[in-house]
Amino acid sequence: MNDFPIAYLNSNDGTGILAFGLGETYSYTRSVGLNGLQDFVDRNKGSYLFGYLGYDLKNEIFNLNSNLEDHLNFPEAFFWKPKYAIRLSHESFEVLQGTKDEECFDFLNMFLEEETDQNFHHLNLNFKSRITKKEYLEKVERLKKHIQQGDIYEVNFCHEYYAEDVSLEYVLDAYFKLNKITKAPFSSYLQFDDFSVFCGSPERFIKKTGNKIITQPIKGTAPRGDSEEEDKKFKEQLECSPKDRAENVMIVDLVRNDFSKIAKKGSVQVEELCGLYTFETVHQLVSTVACEIEEGKSFTDIIKATFPMGSMTGAPKLSAMQLIEEHESFKRGLYSGSIGYIDPNGDFDFNVVIRTLLYNKNKEYLSCAVGSAITIQSDPEEEYNECVIKIAKILHGMNA
């Protein structure tokens, strides 16, 4: 482990941003809260800032509480101003923050060597599910009763796979191994203190460019086929699935409502509804919602209006989060939160933390959670199988 934080935001198209080196940090505590984060952002205006927002920031935003067991103990949010930020673009790079000195080039060379070295270390990880399949099916049935009673329309129900007594000697190697499996457009690696994140996310949470923001929720999943013909069949089934489209549309409506809290009147638009996208391990339906922001809205104003993302809660958001707390068996923490960066002019881009391994070196604990959207049309067995589809290649691939 290094004695300074590292972040790598990897688009898997030959481009990315690498940040490293000591600098001022912000770590969430309830006493300083999100106001403390905004103070940090304001104080460092004109610099690149990197970090994450944990799912349980919901407790401050919605005045909720969490009593689920936390096995990872990540801070609920962490940001830092790195000494160096470097934009990578195919065979070239640009130093965005910091100077072109020996320390910069030594780390950059080491990092690029790790990225190009495909001789991954073998991992012997024994993942266990925190709940049994029977318990999962029973919980989904109970959630469907809440839907039948009108308490919610949709809820994202997640469960955790975990491994204990894990000693990852080569954490960067573990990330690149995961990335070879997922090749996702919002992949990221984050390391600080005893914490490491290996994220293979296909989903964007929120991006700001000028006075425009977009969000791109994913709802609707199908497996990749073993042949071109089978792959095409799965794509067609997903595109025509009333259940998957209904899941997606419900979250789009939720997002439009979230955006209305911070948007200029009449500016909220659905730019794409249920677009079919193919990723390395799955096919998915992705929508894009955009708006223009009202003047004077800060970074944390936008986060408070939109976080946690609807694709990871359900609708209505507050009721869904209360039922998640009641039925899930682990504290989500960074899972279903967001990793990203803020640039010097205040624009930003953040992903959704899914298809992700979270590691606490001190506790020797490795976590990989997965979930799916439960609606009135959900078949518990099919929802369980969808979760297996999403996570199987990751868990098996890391042990390959």
Side-chain angles (χ1 to χ4, degrees), residues 248-259:
N248 197 296
V249 169
M250 276 190 267
I251 298 307
V252 166
D253 285 342
L254 182 153
V255 167
R256 291 170 63 203
N257 182 64
D258 284 351
F259 272 14

PDB file of all heavy atoms in Angstrom, residues 248-259:
ATOM      1  N   ASN A 248     -37.308   0.500 -15.921  1.00  0.00           N
ATOM      2  CA  ASN A 248     -36.524   1.635 -16.375  1.00  0.00           C
ATOM      3  C   ASN A 248     -37.358   2.916 -16.361  1.00  0.00           C
ATOM      4  O   ASN A 248     -36.905   3.964 -15.873  1.00  0.00           O
ATOM      5  CB  ASN A 248     -35.992   1.349 -17.786  1.00  0.00           C
ATOM      6  CG  ASN A 248     -34.848   2.261 -18.170  1.00  0.00           C
ATOM      7  OD1 ASN A 248     -35.022   3.461 -18.266  1.00  0.00           O
ATOM      8  ND2 ASN A 248     -33.681   1.691 -18.385  1.00  0.00           N
ATOM      9  N   VAL A 249     -38.576   2.849 -16.871  1.00  0.00           N
ATOM     10  CA  VAL A 249     -39.437   4.034 -16.959  1.00  0.00           C
ATOM     11  C   VAL A 249     -39.759   4.578 -15.565  1.00  0.00           C
ATOM     12  O   VAL A 249     -39.805   5.803 -15.359  1.00  0.00           O
ATOM     13  CB  VAL A 249     -40.721   3.702 -17.743  1.00  0.00           C
ATOM     14  CG1 VAL A 249     -41.744   4.825 -17.609  1.00  0.00           C
ATOM     15  CG2 VAL A 249     -40.389   3.466 -19.209  1.00  0.00           C
ATOM     16  N   MET A 250     -39.982   3.689 -14.600  1.00  0.00           N
ATOM     17  CA  MET A 250     -40.267   4.142 -13.234  1.00  0.00           C
ATOM     18  C   MET A 250     -39.104   4.946 -12.662  1.00  0.00           C
ATOM     19  O   MET A 250     -39.301   5.971 -11.998  1.00  0.00           O
ATOM     20  CB  MET A 250     -40.598   2.948 -12.332  1.00  0.00           C
ATOM     21  CG  MET A 250     -42.050   2.515 -12.418  1.00  0.00           C
ATOM     22  SD  MET A 250     -42.480   1.303 -11.136  1.00  0.00           S
ATOM     23  CE  MET A 250     -42.204  -0.218 -12.014  1.00  0.00           C
ATOM     24  N   ILE A 251     -37.880   4.495 -12.908  1.00  0.00           N
ATOM     25  CA  ILE A 251     -36.717   5.214 -12.395  1.00  0.00           C
ATOM     26  C   ILE A 251     -36.508   6.521 -13.156  1.00  0.00           C
ATOM     27  O   ILE A 251     -36.127   7.538 -12.570  1.00  0.00           O
ATOM     28  CB  ILE A 251     -35.464   4.323 -12.449  1.00  0.00           C
ATOM     29  CG1 ILE A 251     -35.673   3.096 -11.548  1.00  0.00           C
ATOM     30  CG2 ILE A 251     -34.225   5.092 -12.016  1.00  0.00           C
ATOM     31  CD1 ILE A 251     -36.087   3.415 -10.110  1.00  0.00           C
ATOM     32  N   VAL A 252     -36.794   6.529 -14.447  1.00  0.00           N
ATOM     33  CA  VAL A 252     -36.716   7.776 -15.214  1.00  0.00           C
ATOM     34  C   VAL A 252     -37.684   8.815 -14.632  1.00  0.00           C
ATOM     35  O   VAL A 252     -37.325   9.994 -14.482  1.00  0.00           O
ATOM     36  CB  VAL A 252     -37.012   7.516 -16.706  1.00  0.00           C
ATOM     37  CG1 VAL A 252     -37.272   8.825 -17.455  1.00  0.00           C
ATOM     38  CG2 VAL A 252     -35.846   6.778 -17.348  1.00  0.00           C
ATOM     39  N   ASP A 253     -38.887   8.397 -14.287  1.00  0.00           N
ATOM     40  CA  ASP A 253     -39.845   9.325 -13.680  1.00  0.00           C
ATOM     41  C   ASP A 253     -39.326   9.857 -12.347  1.00  0.00           C
ATOM     42  O   ASP A 253     -39.482  11.049 -12.032  1.00  0.00           O
ATOM     43  CB  ASP A 253     -41.192   8.636 -13.477  1.00  0.00           C
ATOM     44  CG  ASP A 253     -41.963   8.464 -14.774  1.00  0.00           C
ATOM     45  OD1 ASP A 253     -41.623   9.166 -15.757  1.00  0.00           O
ATOM     46  OD2 ASP A 253     -42.887   7.631 -14.825  1.00  0.00           O
ATOM     47  N   LEU A 254     -38.712   8.972 -11.552  1.00  0.00           N
ATOM     48  CA  LEU A 254     -38.132   9.396 -10.269  1.00  0.00           C
ATOM     49  C   LEU A 254     -37.022  10.431 -10.495  1.00  0.00           C
ATOM     50  O   LEU A 254     -36.959  11.451  -9.808  1.00  0.00           O
ATOM     51  CB  LEU A 254     -37.595   8.184  -9.519  1.00  0.00           C
ATOM     52  CG  LEU A 254     -36.977   8.399  -8.135  1.00  0.00           C
ATOM     53  CD1 LEU A 254     -37.112   7.134  -7.298  1.00  0.00           C
ATOM     54  CD2 LEU A 254     -35.499   8.773  -8.204  1.00  0.00           C
ATOM     55  N   VAL A 255     -36.159  10.165 -11.466  1.00  0.00           N
ATOM     56  CA  VAL A 255     -35.044  11.069 -11.757  1.00  0.00           C
ATOM     57  C   VAL A 255     -35.559  12.424 -12.227  1.00  0.00           C
ATOM     58  O   VAL A 255     -35.035  13.477 -11.848  1.00  0.00           O
ATOM     59  CB  VAL A 255     -34.110  10.438 -12.810  1.00  0.00           C
ATOM     60  CG1 VAL A 255     -33.141  11.466 -13.372  1.00  0.00           C
ATOM     61  CG2 VAL A 255     -33.335   9.280 -12.209  1.00  0.00           C
ATOM     62  N   ARG A 256     -36.589  12.425 -13.057  1.00  0.00           N
ATOM     63  CA  ARG A 256     -37.173  13.699 -13.510  1.00  0.00           C
ATOM     64  C   ARG A 256     -37.671  14.504 -12.313  1.00  0.00           C
ATOM     65  O   ARG A 256     -37.503  15.734 -12.269  1.00  0.00           O
ATOM     66  CB  ARG A 256     -38.321  13.433 -14.482  1.00  0.00           C
ATOM     67  CG  ARG A 256     -37.864  12.864 -15.827  1.00  0.00           C
ATOM     68  CD  ARG A 256     -39.045  12.396 -16.653  1.00  0.00           C
ATOM     69  NE  ARG A 256     -39.937  13.489 -16.988  1.00  0.00           N
ATOM     70  CZ  ARG A 256     -41.223  13.328 -17.296  1.00  0.00           C
ATOM     71  NH1 ARG A 256     -41.769  12.125 -17.274  1.00  0.00           N
ATOM     72  NH2 ARG A 256     -41.958  14.368 -17.607  1.00  0.00           N
ATOM     73  N   ASN A 257     -38.247  13.825 -11.356  1.00  0.00           N
ATOM     74  CA  ASN A 257     -38.716  14.506 -10.155  1.00  0.00           C
ATOM     75  C   ASN A 257     -37.541  15.060  -9.338  1.00  0.00           C
ATOM     76  O   ASN A 257     -37.593  16.186  -8.843  1.00  0.00           O
ATOM     77  CB  ASN A 257     -39.543  13.543  -9.304  1.00  0.00           C
ATOM     78  CG  ASN A 257     -40.092  14.210  -8.059  1.00  0.00           C
ATOM     79  OD1 ASN A 257     -40.896  15.126  -8.143  1.00  0.00           O
ATOM     80  ND2 ASN A 257     -39.645  13.766  -6.895  1.00  0.00           N
ATOM     81  N   ASP A 258     -36.467  14.261  -9.196  1.00  0.00           N
ATOM     82  CA  ASP A 258     -35.270  14.735  -8.494  1.00  0.00           C
ATOM     83  C   ASP A 258     -34.706  15.988  -9.166  1.00  0.00           C
ATOM     84  O   ASP A 258     -34.366  16.983  -8.503  1.00  0.00           O
ATOM     85  CB  ASP A 258     -34.189  13.650  -8.471  1.00  0.00           C
ATOM     86  CG  ASP A 258     -34.465  12.548  -7.454  1.00  0.00           C
ATOM     87  OD1 ASP A 258     -35.393  12.701  -6.641  1.00  0.00           O
ATOM     88  OD2 ASP A 258     -33.750  11.531  -7.490  1.00  0.00           O
ATOM     89  N   PHE A 259     -34.585  15.930 -10.482  1.00  0.00           N
ATOM     90  CA  PHE A 259     -34.018  17.061 -11.226  1.00  0.00           C
ATOM     91  C   PHE A 259     -34.878  18.318 -11.095  1.00  0.00           C
ATOM     92  O   PHE A 259     -34.353  19.444 -11.108  1.00  0.00           O
ATOM     93  CB  PHE A 259     -33.870  16.687 -12.706  1.00  0.00           C
ATOM     94  CG  PHE A 259     -32.560  16.027 -13.047  1.00  0.00           C
ATOM     95  CD1 PHE A 259     -31.723  15.529 -12.059  1.00  0.00           C
ATOM     96  CD2 PHE A 259     -32.151  15.904 -14.367  1.00  0.00           C
ATOM     97  CE1 PHE A 259     -30.522  14.918 -12.382  1.00  0.00           C
ATOM     98  CE2 PHE A 259     -30.950  15.304 -14.707  1.00  0.00           C
ATOM     99  CZ  PHE A 259     -30.131  14.808 -13.705  1.00  0.00           C
TER     100      PHE A 259
END
